[in-house]
Amino acid sequence: MKTVNMENRSLVTIANHSKERILYLLEMAKEFEKKPNRRLLAEKVVATLFFEPSTRTRLSFETAANRLGARVIGFTDPKVTSSSKGETLKDTIMMVSNYADIIVMRHYLEGAARYASEIAPVPIVNAGDGANQHPSQTMLDLYSIYKTQGTLENLNIYLVGDLKYGRTVHSLLMAMRHFNPTFHFIAPTELKMPEEYKLYCKEHSIKYIEHTDFTEDTIADADILYMTRVQRERFTDLMEYERVKDTYILNSRMLEKTRPNLRILHPLPRVNEITYDVDESPKAYYFQQAQNGLYAREAILCDVLGITLDEVRADTNR
Ligand code: CP
């Protein structure tokens, strides 16, 4: 049986990552973009445990594992596992740790990844825990911002939509604390950025402005426009969801006054917050953003297993 790692290399939150560490992981992602197929994880097994639905996160982690030579086990529906018979998360994690070298886990409970990382003898990668954090999404978001803007420093970043339940925006704002951003939070009152994250901004001297209007004038100064879906699955009152779900819809007409360097990001899936005519705009970047997820997640899988950037650079085998 494996023993608990003294050096816990799990990725639970981006909040612990220094600027140097973030830039290091982005460098590693760049190496994987140049050459995605390698054998760095040959003979490793990656488990993907998805207690909530996913398309991009699961498939890009599994693609990353496959492209690195690992094998993949896991589930996409907890109903077909023994958790439906009452097995606890602790027992599930301990069991899967017997089989796999890394566990990538998405769970509906906030803090589930933290808990798993404290008991597991193998690294845990948080693939989203409730409305809390989505750190691997943040790494691909940062990589996308860096690629499109040429820098992470001093950017105007507009976060639009469900800022209450959207875990991707929570992680992104924490990671950006190193890069002197100005955030604009555009949300209906019911879905505004939670106080704890505004407090985090104040504690880390992150500038932010709150808006409820979403017009072409509001977004004219944006470098990054980060649209989000209203997270139906987190609402206890579906009437409230119906009331707010279509508050903000981006269409191509709204892009007319925007900066040439503007790029539109969205963690996806989209429902109807971006109309399909926007897809034709060179400023639409959400599909490339999802593709960047492969490279960012190859870097994460290597990093949690202790494979260094130098080792990635030195690897010449396909
Ligand atoms: N961005 C994201 O988390 O997408 P999925 O829910 O499809 O994994």
Side-chain angles (χ1 to χ4, degrees):
M1 190 171 173
K2 293 164 189 163
T3 52
V4 176
N5 242 336
M6 290 313 286
E7 190 201 358
N8 190 333
R9 300 192 63 87
S10 295
L11 176 61
V12 171
T13 169
I14 207 76
N16 302 338
H17 278 31
S18 65
K19 181 173 184 173
E20 291 68 32
R21 182 139 187 74
I22 286 173
L23 295 174
Y24 171 90
L25 286 170
L26 296 183
E27 278 303 310
M28 209 190 279
K30 203 154 110 187
E31 294 297 320
F32 285 118
E33 180 163 9
K34 285 187 225 156
K35 189 173 131 182
N37 295 326
R38 300 169 187 253
R39 303 290 302 161
L40 290 162
L41 297 192
E43 298 176 22
K44 299 292 183 193
V45 174
V46 175
T48 56
L49 312 187
F50 277 69
F51 292 85
E52 275 196 332
S54 167
T55 297
R56 277 147 294 276
T57 309
R58 183 177 67 81
L59 292 177
S60 59
F61 264 119
E62 293 188 357
T63 305
N66 278 293
R67 290 199 178 277
L68 292 169
R71 297 197 177 150
V72 178
I73 61 168
F75 56 80
T76 58
D77 180 359
K79 286 203 288 297
V80 301
T81 74
S82 288
S83 61
S84 67
K85 301 177 204 163
E87 186 161 57
T88 61
L89 180 60
K90 175 178 181 183
D91 288 0
T92 304
I93 293 296
M94 295 311 286
M95 283 305 99
V96 177
S97 299
N98 287 333
Y99 311 137
D101 300 286
I102 308 174
I103 296 175
V104 177
M105 183 178 83
R106 170 169 290 185
H107 202 280
Y108 47 86
L109 286 179
E110 296 178 20
R114 161 89 48 215
Y115 173 70
S117 75
E118 285 167 0
I119 58 166
V122 300
I124 300 289
V125 177
N126 182 4
D129 61 327
N132 188 31
Q133 297 284 312
H134 196 345
S136 70
Q137 176 74 41
T138 300
M139 287 312 305
L140 76 92
D141 291 344
L142 294 174
Y143 189 54
S144 299
I145 295 170
Y146 186 77
K147 272 176 73 175
T148 60
Q149 305 298 317
T151 180
L152 292 173
E153 304 280 350
N154 307 318
L155 297 171
N156 288 336
I157 301 182
Y158 286 60
L159 306 177
V160 183
D162 186 346
L163 307 188
K164 179 178 179 185
Y165 297 119
R167 56 193 171 201
T168 66
V169 294
H170 301 158
S171 290
L172 182 60
L173 92 76
M174 288 177 146
M176 286 302 297
R177 74 189 183 281
H178 303 297
F179 304 104
N180 191 36
T182 302
F183 277 110
H184 292 255
F185 300 152
I186 305 181
T189 311
E190 296 88 335
L191 298 178
K192 64 183 194 179
M193 186 61 80
E195 287 305 320
E196 66 181 283
Y197 293 104
K198 288 194 272 185
L199 188 60
Y200 185 90
C201 287
K202 286 174 190 148
E203 284 170 358
H204 293 84
S205 304
I206 301 171
K207 299 180 281 300
Y208 70 85
I209 302 158
E210 293 188 282
H211 310 256
T212 49
D213 279 357
F214 181 51
T215 65
E216 43 184 313
D217 290 326
T218 326
I219 61 174
D221 282 341
D223 299 306
I224 293 293
L225 184 58
Y226 194 102
M227 301 296 295
T228 63
R229 171 180 70 93
V230 177
Q231 310 256 307
R232 184 178 187 278
E233 63 275 28
R234 313 266 177 239
F235 282 74
T236 46
D237 177 357
L238 282 184
M239 295 287 283
E240 181 165 291
Y241 169 74
E242 290 297 325
R243 230 179 9 256
V244 295
K245 70 182 167 91
D246 292 328
T247 313
Y248 303 131
I249 298 178
L250 179 70
N251 59 51
S252 57
R253 194 186 36 77
M254 292 175 70
L255 300 176
E256 281 167 16
K257 290 188 191 168
T258 56
R259 290 182 170 180
N261 65 306
L262 172 76
R263 290 297 175 273
I264 303 155
L265 304 186
H266 190 314
L268 304 177
R270 90 174 123 181
V271 182
N272 54 1
E273 55 281 351
I274 301 179
T275 58
Y276 284 90
D277 57 340
V278 176
D279 297 359
E280 308 308 319
S281 167
K283 295 177 180 177
Y285 194 74
Y286 26 92
F287 296 122
Q288 296 98 315
Q289 178 189 2
Q291 184 182 18
N292 290 334
L294 171 62
Y295 317 125
R297 287 176 172 131
E298 288 190 273
I300 289 167
L301 291 179
C302 286
D303 183 63
V304 297
L305 284 178
I307 296 168
T308 65
L309 177 58
D310 284 344
E311 286 170 309
V312 173
R313 285 183 171 148
D315 169 63
T316 49
N317 300 320
R318 285 195 82 79

